[in-house]
């Protein structure tokens, strides 16, 4: 008989926000079950899922007592507070602020304007078409990576040291999206180096979209 994990993560395999949370849970060795939510098919708009997550997005984390958490950065904050080892944020206030700045460049500057529903609305409501939508995504990713490449260190395998932190999880997830949409990463050597370090880490590699049960 299989025992259910204490946490249930509602996730979509290609979701960069879900990728971040999967990687954090893996790094901290926290067991969880995945319930796939097919965003392309519109499963996030089903009444049962909307009751769980009124924002109709992923990820959603359900705790053992039934408490529901939404929004990836809020979920990551909960994970860090509950399972502090290994730390995803430095204790030093300045170092912490730098890690958060890099993480937020990906999670707050780039991701929201490239979210599936934003790009779909841009394409359909403003006659951007598929090519226009792709140009939109590439533009904002390129802008974000240019800023990020200058924010992170260039003398460490990960963004700010020898172990992955919150910035790395946000970066590797966004780079997955960038490669999917053909963004040229050659101008951003720090970004490429961080991606390689992340994908060489077993816990992060296991969170990669291609390794998910709903990957297709």
């Amino acid at each position: 008989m299989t025992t259910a994990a204490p946490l249930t993560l509602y996730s979509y395999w290609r979701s960069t926000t879900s990728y971040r949370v999967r990687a954090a849970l893996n790094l901290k060795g926290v067991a969880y079950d995945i319930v796939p939510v097919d965003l392309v098919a519109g499963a996030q708009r089903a009444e049962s899922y909307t009751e769980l997550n009124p924002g109709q997005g992923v990820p959603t984390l359900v705790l053992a007592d039934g408490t529901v958490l939404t929004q990836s950065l809020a979920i990551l904050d909960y994970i860090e507070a509950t399972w502090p080892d290994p730390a995803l944020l430095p204790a030093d206030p300045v170092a912490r602020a730098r890690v958060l700045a890099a993480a937020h460049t990906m999670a707050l500057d780039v991701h929201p304007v490239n979210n599936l529903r934003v790009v779909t609305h841009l394409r359909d409501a403003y006659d951007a078409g598929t090519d226009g939508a792709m140009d939109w995504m590439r533009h904002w990713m390129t802008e974000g990576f240019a800023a990020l490449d200058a924010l992170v260190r260039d003398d460490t395998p990960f963004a700010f040291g020898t172990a992955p932190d919150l910035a790395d999880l946000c970066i590797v997830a966004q780079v997955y999206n960038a490669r999917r949409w053909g963004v040229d990463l050659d101008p951003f050597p720090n970004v490429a180096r961080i991606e390689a370090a992340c994908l060489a880490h077993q816990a992060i590699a296991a969170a990669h979209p291609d390794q998910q049960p709903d990957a297709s």
Side-chain angles (χ1 to χ4, degrees):
M1 180 176 177
T2 302
T3 302
L7 302 180
T8 302
L9 180 67
Y10 289 79
S11 165
Y12 177 60
W13 68 292
R14 275 183 167 163
S15 158
T16 59
T17 52
S18 299
Y19 189 171
R20 300 171 198 159
V21 172
R22 294 192 301 258
L25 290 169
N26 291 351
L27 282 168
K28 292 174 182 290
V30 180
Y32 60 99
D33 291 325
I34 285 183
V35 175
V37 180
D38 190 339
L39 301 185
V40 175
Q44 71 277 20
R45 293 189 291 274
E47 183 178 354
S48 59
Y49 188 72
T50 300
E51 290 176 357
L52 196 66
N53 185 337
Q56 299 182 334
V58 290
T60 299
L61 185 67
V62 181
L63 310 185
D65 65 359
T67 298
V68 178
L69 303 179
T70 63
Q71 291 292 340
S72 68
L73 292 182
I75 292 170
L76 288 164
D77 184 70
Y78 169 82
I79 292 169
E80 181 72 354
T82 307
W83 298 280
D85 186 42
L88 294 179
L89 287 169
D92 176 77
V94 171
R96 181 186 179 94
R98 286 177 175 153
V99 170
L100 286 172
H104 290 176
T105 298
M106 295 291 94
L108 302 182
D109 289 349
V110 176
H111 172 261
V113 291
N114 283 348
N115 185 280
L116 175 63
R117 58 188 170 187
V118 171
V119 175
T120 299
H121 186 68
L122 173 74
R123 184 192 64 205
D124 297 344
Y126 296 98
D127 298 322
T130 299
D131 289 343
M134 290 181 68
D135 286 345
W136 167 275
M137 288 190 290
R138 290 174 184 145
H139 169 79
W140 293 115
M141 281 189 269
T142 299
E143 290 275 310
F145 287 136
L148 179 75
D149 211 63
L151 287 173
V152 299
R153 291 177 58 173
D154 61 5
D155 60 347
T156 56
F158 293 98
F160 294 98
T162 57
D165 59 29
L166 182 62
D168 297 290
L169 303 191
C170 292
I171 293 165
V172 71
Q174 192 58 57
V175 173
Y176 168 79
N177 223 24
R179 292 198 181 281
R180 181 183 173 201
W181 298 112
V183 174
D184 180 11
L185 295 174
D186 286 345
F188 315 118
N190 290 330
V191 172
R193 185 196 74 251
I194 291 164
E195 180 201 27
C198 286
L199 295 182
H201 195 296
Q202 184 177 1
I204 301 176
H208 189 279
D210 292 347
Q211 302 303 313
Q212 303 317 301
D214 52 331
S216 60

